[in-house]
Amino acid sequence: MSGDSASAIQRSQVDLVDFIDWSGVECLNQSTSHSLPNALKQGYREDDGLNLESDADEQLLIYIPFTQVIKLHSLLVKGPEEEGPKTVKLYSNKENMGFGNVNDFPPSDTAVLSPDDIKGKPIVLKYVKFQNVRSLTIFIEDNHSGSDITKVQKIALFGTTVETTDMKGLKKIEDH
Amino acid sequence: MVLEATMICIDNSEWMRNGDYAPSRFEAQAEAVNLICGAKTQSNPENTVGILTMAGKGVRVLVTPTSDLGKILACMHGLEIGGEMNLASGIQVAQLALKHRQNKKQQQRIIVFCGSPIKHEKKLIEMIGKKLKKNSVALDIINFGEQDDGKIEKLEALLAAVNNNDTSHIVHVPTGSSALSDVLINTPIFTGDGEGGSGFAAAAAAAAAGGLSGFDFGVDPNLDPELALALRVSMEEERARQEAAAKKAAEEAAKQEKGEGQPSGTQDAMMTERANAATSEVDNKDDENALLQQALAMSMDDPDSGHETQDTDMSDAAADDPELALALQLSVQDGTKDSSSQSDMSKLLADQSFVSSILASLPGVDPNDPSVKNLLDSIQSQTGASGSNISSQQKNEEKEPKEDEK
């Protein structure tokens, strides 16, 4: 299983960090000093000292829109053994979710991270559920230790893009 | 200019009948609400405001967040006072109303008017605060009216639980002379979080301060710049005129003595004569001319003012009198030449007939006046001395331009 997922990453799946639409990225209940880019952005996420931390309680709600439609294959979450996330629910194409309505509809997939997974092992998701993803909502429900603060060192998404038109690449045809 | 959806929670409990805020607590609150709605909608046209009441039969949403100011103000009519305020439910319903706002890009904010005692436990209040923070809802608390022990503590705890990066505020409004809205205008609730104030708030503050709000002439330069400028200019003109008139009165007294007493050199003597003449002219002519003469006399009277000033005055004076013009011209030439020509000048002046003819042409000067005669005598006796006087004066004046050049 783990061998499969590792090879799957190597084969065709790319790191989707390049396709994240940073202008629309949001995170509810994050602490201001330890915010989402620490876990998501290239460079910051490699640094284990920079974490995303929760604020009022241990739950986190992360909303990630993409610049293109993608297929999501696997997820990688890295965090400390104690305060790292345990239950992670993923919702595809649901905008403006709040903590109130996370339980209103079933998640596209749920991942319960073992202490082994939290070291940075990619977790394969239900690929069929993530064929046409424009935005992803990650709901971190609790952490391993049960403390009030959840810490996340790295979140990485792997998948492929669907061939869609990049609107920025379109050029106006010159009139003759 | 933050894009915001605001829910205002009004306290319409029985405690609002009290009149310690004029005219009654409830009306003071209503006025503050009107001002807040106006400020919010003005600072950003896409802002929305909604209102709910916390007391009465239960928490009731009067209007969901809308940018229509008329609708908001209309729903404030016909509100009834009664019941007890339910703070926890009020805030939770407000949160729900904000959750279902149409424009999800708006920041969420709740403004609570808390005028009656809080019956909830502190823990419950804190939990509500935490929930607001978790959903990134900002909270402004306006504490007024009833102050029982623990109320302030609970509200401060609520603020601490909600506050995220100073987006939430609390304002305590004590009973007193100033109205509730006036106190609020200067708070961050109106001015926004450090934006520097919306125009609405600033204008409202100016109007509310009333009358002379510290601006000159009681006119706000922001509101009416031309009027303020016109007022200022006319004030200055009046002041200048008064000063000139005062000086004229002082000068007249000084001139009379000076003109007769001092032989300060031939040129000076001539200038003084002219000054005298001018002074006596003052009585005859109207005020504006007199002031002009006065200014001329003052400048001529001052030997340190430099040759240039004297030149100007002399040219003015010479316009009327060719003989005088000749004399003045000579004196000007003297100023630029070396002392050898000074002797010519002094010779010229030594010619009494010439001098008396000049003096005769001066209006208002009678050559037969004994004081004038005395002066002429003293001039002639001092011709030798005055020659050196002139040269020394010249050196001073030459030094001055050189200093200017430096």
Side-chain angles (χ1 to χ4, degrees), chain B residues 57-290:
Chain B
K57 289 211 183 79
V59 176
R60 190 162 70 98
V61 175
L62 299 173
V63 57
T64 55
T66 170
S67 53
D68 184 357
L69 194 59
K71 203 163 153 193
I72 298 167
L73 298 178
C75 80
M76 291 293 295
H77 284 301
L79 279 181
E80 287 181 2
I81 299 178
E84 270 186 13
M85 174 182 81
N86 189 342
L87 185 67
S89 306
I91 294 180
Q92 283 169 332
V93 171
Q95 192 184 345
L96 197 64
L98 285 173
K99 193 166 149 191
H100 294 291
R101 64 196 186 284
Q102 284 189 323
N103 184 357
K104 300 289 180 190
K105 290 222 179 279
Q106 290 167 328
Q107 300 283 323
Q108 303 173 71
R109 182 175 289 273
I110 300 177
I111 302 180
V112 174
F113 283 85
C114 199
S116 39
I118 302 174
K119 58 180 192 254
H120 306 287
E121 291 293 323
K122 191 171 161 198
K123 277 226 101 190
L124 177 65
I125 305 276
E126 273 178 355
M127 264 174 49
I128 292 175
K130 271 195 166 173
K131 209 166 146 223
L132 288 178
K133 183 166 161 190
K134 194 170 162 190
N135 288 288
S136 72
V137 179
L139 179 67
D140 289 332
I141 307 169
I142 299 167
N143 177 23
F144 69 110
E146 288 297 313
Q147 305 296 337
D148 69 348
D149 38 89
K151 183 186 181 192
I152 292 186
E153 199 189 321
K154 287 176 187 173
L155 290 177
E156 294 282 355
L158 177 60
L159 183 78
V162 175
N163 204 356
N164 183 13
N165 255 358
D166 278 339
T167 50
S168 304
H169 316 96
I170 184 169
V171 180
H172 303 280
V173 185
T175 58
S177 52
S178 56
L180 187 61
S181 7
D182 291 341
V183 177
L184 288 178
I185 278 172
N186 295 319
T187 59
I189 294 179
F190 254 92
T191 58
D193 298 322
E195 292 163 0
S198 64
F200 181 89
L212 283 166
S213 48
F215 298 119
D216 301 330
F217 319 119
V219 174
D220 181 359
N222 293 328
L223 292 175
D224 201 344
E226 288 109 358
L227 181 57
L229 182 66
L231 286 169
R232 201 182 333 130
V233 168
S234 65
M235 260 300 268
E236 282 169 8
E237 275 179 7
E238 181 63 37
R239 213 180 296 135
R241 194 153 10 125
Q242 282 176 359
E243 277 175 19
K247 269 186 199 164
K248 162 187 127 186
E251 279 300 329
E252 266 186 19
K255 285 295 176 219
Q256 299 298 344
E257 297 171 12
K258 216 174 178 193
E260 294 168 5
Q262 272 183 3
S264 53
T266 52
Q267 288 178 344
D268 281 343
M270 285 198 59
M271 302 313 137
T272 320
E273 295 284 359
R274 280 240 64 251
N276 247 341
T279 318
S280 47
E281 277 174 345
V282 162
D283 302 326
N284 303 332
K285 296 180 185 176
D286 50 349
D287 284 339
E288 287 176 358
N289 276 347

Side-chain angles (χ1 to χ4, degrees), chain A residues 2 24 32-33 42 96 127 149 171:
Chain A
S2 55
T32 31
S33 51
Q42 198 75 278
N96 299 310
Y127 198 42
I149 297 182
K171 276 195 182 141

Side-chain angles (χ1 to χ4, degrees), chain A residues 9 128 130 137 164:
Chain A
I9 308 277
V128 290
F130 296 102
T137 304
T164 48

